[in-house]
Amino acid sequence: VQLQASGGGLVQAGGSLRLSCAASGRTFGSYVMGWFRQAPGKEREFVAAISRSGGGTNYEDSVKGRFTISRDNARSTVNLQMNSLKPEDTAVYYCAADRGWSIFSGNYDYWGQGTQVTVSS
């Protein structure tokens, strides 16, 4: 599966952004989808994941209550709605696909190219 992330940009603290990830192929519904982020000088970290059906989600503690992951299997897309953004959310955000349920980036098989999110204070 090929993934294409979009929606990043520059926003002030407290603002919102919506990231989207479009997948190619007819097997999108067979993958768990995740969002990860990587800030300069830091390791890539888990942000959120959503189950194949969309009925299950998992979030990194610092984004709980602010970010919402969703998916549309008919359109082969996964979204990340980010509200109440903070400067520490600044990073390159990546979408990824995994056959299993995991928060570890090493377990994800397919990756999008990344989209930059910058939150100014």
Side-chain angles (χ1 to χ4, degrees):
V1 61
Q2 292 184 323
L3 304 174
Q4 180 78 29
S6 62
L10 173 64
V11 64
Q12 288 188 333
S16 298
L17 281 175
R18 182 178 178 85
L19 305 184
S20 293
C21 178
S24 64
R26 294 176 288 179
T27 60
F28 178 75
S30 66
Y31 290 95
V32 170
M33 297 300 298
W35 285 96
F36 290 78
R37 64 187 180 186
Q38 188 166 17
K42 295 187 177 181
E43 294 186 353
R44 191 169 297 187
E45 66 173 1
F46 170 78
V47 176
I50 189 166
S51 65
R52 297 172 184 84
S53 68
T57 57
N58 189 22
Y59 296 93
E60 193 270 331
D61 286 346
S62 71
V63 309
K64 285 180 180 177
R66 300 188 298 122
F67 291 12
T68 302
I69 188 171
S70 62
R71 69 187 296 163
D72 184 338
N73 285 347
R75 291 182 169 83
S76 297
T77 58
V78 59
N79 300 306
L80 186 68
Q81 177 67 42
M82 305 186 296
N83 299 328
S84 302
L85 282 161
K86 303 175 181 180
E88 51 264 43
D89 294 319
T90 295
V92 177
Y93 283 71
Y94 299 88
C95 59
D98 184 15
R99 288 287 189 183
W101 184 255
S102 175
I103 65 170
F104 300 106
S105 61
N107 290 342
Y108 281 73
D109 300 315
Y110 303 98
W111 291 84
Q113 85 288 4
T115 184
Q116 176 71 48
V117 171
T118 303
V119 184
S120 63
S121 58

